[in-house]
């Protein structure tokens, strides 16, 4: 089955790094539809920089229509998948011949670019008005944000609390040691093997308590912990048996969902054992773009 003009119907769910790049790459080779609740692509590796330099956000938050000039955009959330179409929250049934899931992580961000830029301004004002800042989480985001604030506002007191035994646990000990040394050289206080009870702080209070009973005084706090995968909705769809115990979709060597010949998945929601970062999502998108073109030309995937 082909659409008007003889091009195959391809639907991409998710307008993050992976989904947007894939859509951009194949927009002139298919009858393409991108489904995303928000109207923009966000370059996620710039998010933390945007908080300390909001003017930077205008370059890293890009409306989908600015790069997708030859495809359909549906600004809604996908809520169900059948063997032939995708159902969205606003009641649309979108037919597909090939489907790509790229939903990434759950992140309740604003729908419009204007609102997102306003949010970065508000976060920047929060940081600027605080003399002391608590960062919760010592993974890549927490370490980077602490570094950004310490560099942009060297006079502020920054405390980073991490529940693990070392920073950047999923990267390696060398990176952990270097990051810890660098942060401490910028006078960032790093507290390991502790958790912060945010509920213990009453309205107007500036004292946070940790799991070891320690008190931390801070004007505000910023949470940098892992966000849940945006795959829970799939448990009620035809792909419910394709989710592993961690909520990731199991894929074959072509990034197709196992057992499905026309459904792919890319980015953070794949079960590939790798560090989930933007440059790998970028590579996933390029691989699937090539394979989709081959399949649409009835050639062998690779």
């Amino acid at each position: 089955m082909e659409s008007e003009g003889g091009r195959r119907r391809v639907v991409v769910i998710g307008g993050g790094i992976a989904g947007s790049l894939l859509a951009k790459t194949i927009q002139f080779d298919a009858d393409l539809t991108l489904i995303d609740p928000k109207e923009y692509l966000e370059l996620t590796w710039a998010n933390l920089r945007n908080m300390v330099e909001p003017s930077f956000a205008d370059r890293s938050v890009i409306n989908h229509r600015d790069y997708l000039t030859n495809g359909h955009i549906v600004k809604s959330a996908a809520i169900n998948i059948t063997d032939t179409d995708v159902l969205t929250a606003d009641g649309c049934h979108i037919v597909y011949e090939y489907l790509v899931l790229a939903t990434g992580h759950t992140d309740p961000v604003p729908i419009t670019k204007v609102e997102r830029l306003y949010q970065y301004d508000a976060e920047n004002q929060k940081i600027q008005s605080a003399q002391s800042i608590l960062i919760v989480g010592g993974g890549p985001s927490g370490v980077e944000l602490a570094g950004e604030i310490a560099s942009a506002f060297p006079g502020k007191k920054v405390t980073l609390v991490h529940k693990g035994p070392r920073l950047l646990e999923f990267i390696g000990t060398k990176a952990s040691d270097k990051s810890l040394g660098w942060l401490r050289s910028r006078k960032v206080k790093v507290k390991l093997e502790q958790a912060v009870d945010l509920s213990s702080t009453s309205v107007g209070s500036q004292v946070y308590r940790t799991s070891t009973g320690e008190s931390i005084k801070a004007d505000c706090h910023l949470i940098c912990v892992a966000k849940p995968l945006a795959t829970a909705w799939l448990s009620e769809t035809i792909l419910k048996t394709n989710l592993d115990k961690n909520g990731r979709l199991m894929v074959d060597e072509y990034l197709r969902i196992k057992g499905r010949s026309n459904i792919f998945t890319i980015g953070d929601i794949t079960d590939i054992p790798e560090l989930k970062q933007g440059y790998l999502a970028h590579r996933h998108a390029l691989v699937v773009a090539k394979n989709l073109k081959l399949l649409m030309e009835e050639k062998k995937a690779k």
Side-chain angles (χ1 to χ4, degrees):
M1 179 176 63
E2 296 181 352
S3 64
E4 291 184 15
R7 296 187 301 166
R8 301 287 186 175
R9 293 187 175 96
V10 177
V11 174
V12 179
I13 304 176
I17 296 296
S20 295
L21 177 60
L22 173 65
K24 178 180 184 294
T25 304
I26 67 169
Q27 62 180 313
F28 295 103
D29 301 292
D31 181 357
L32 176 74
T33 300
L34 175 68
I35 301 174
D36 192 29
K38 54 183 176 35
E39 68 178 20
Y40 56 86
L41 153 70
E42 187 159 18
L43 302 180
T44 51
W45 45 77
N47 287 6
L48 304 176
R49 184 64 188 167
N50 294 342
M51 294 173 66
V52 300
E53 189 182 338
S55 61
F56 196 73
D58 192 48
R59 291 171 286 170
S60 63
V61 181
I62 304 163
N63 279 322
H64 290 314
R65 187 50 73 191
D66 288 343
Y67 67 86
L68 195 61
T69 59
N70 198 50
H72 312 287
I73 299 173
V74 176
K75 287 186 285 186
S76 185
I79 61 173
N80 195 17
I81 295 171
T82 72
D83 289 321
T84 58
D85 60 3
V86 177
L87 174 65
T88 65
D90 60 1
C92 291
H93 287 264
I94 304 165
V95 176
Y96 70 85
E97 293 167 79
Y98 296 99
L99 176 65
V100 183
L101 288 95
T103 52
H105 288 83
T106 300
D107 195 3
V109 296
I111 294 174
T112 69
K113 176 178 178 176
V114 170
E115 291 173 317
R116 186 57 167 147
L117 296 181
Y118 177 81
Q119 189 177 61
Y120 279 125
D121 282 328
E123 290 172 339
N124 179 257
Q125 289 301 314
K126 178 180 177 180
I127 292 171
Q128 289 207 52
S129 63
Q131 292 303 309
S132 53
I133 300 168
L134 169 64
I135 296 176
V136 181
S141 295
V143 169
E144 183 180 343
L145 182 57
E148 289 282 8
I149 295 174
S151 297
F153 307 104
K156 296 187 185 298
K157 297 178 181 179
V158 181
T159 302
L160 185 152
V161 178
H162 181 55
K163 66 180 180 179
R166 61 183 177 87
L167 301 176
L168 306 175
E169 294 171 77
F170 302 104
I171 296 180
T173 56
K174 186 176 180 180
S176 297
D177 294 341
K178 188 171 183 178
S179 298
L180 180 61
W182 190 93
L183 290 176
R184 285 178 171 168
S185 74
R186 299 303 193 277
K187 299 182 180 180
V188 175
K189 292 183 179 179
V190 179
K191 299 180 183 296
L192 301 173
E193 298 186 271
Q194 297 186 52
V196 178
D197 182 6
L198 297 175
S199 64
S200 67
T201 305
S202 59
V203 177
S205 173
Q206 296 177 320
V207 178
Y208 299 81
R209 295 196 177 278
T210 72
S211 54
T212 62
E214 187 174 349
S215 296
I216 300 173
K217 187 175 181 180
D219 296 330
C220 70
H221 70 272
L222 301 167
I223 300 176
C224 295
V225 297
K227 299 178 178 70
L229 292 171
T231 56
W233 65 284
L234 294 173
S235 62
E236 301 297 326
T237 72
I238 60 169
L239 301 179
K240 60 185 177 182
T241 60
N242 298 103
L243 293 166
D244 69 9
K245 63 180 181 180
N246 298 313
R248 288 192 161 91
L249 285 162
M250 297 177 282
V251 297
D252 63 16
E253 64 270 34
Y254 308 114
L255 293 177
R256 285 185 301 202
I257 293 177
K258 289 183 177 179
R260 300 279 175 178
S261 62
N262 64 334
I263 304 180
F264 294 79
T265 188
I266 54 179
D268 292 351
I269 60 173
T270 68
D271 70 336
I272 299 172
E274 62 188 1
L275 189 63
K276 301 301 182 181
Q277 292 192 323
Y279 78 97
L280 290 174
H282 183 280
R283 291 181 181 181
H284 289 190
L286 295 181
V287 167
V288 170
K290 289 180 180 179
N291 282 337
L292 281 171
K293 290 177 183 180
L294 289 170
L295 288 170
M296 289 187 288
E297 295 169 0
E298 298 184 349
K299 296 179 181 179
K300 186 178 180 181
K302 65 179 178 180

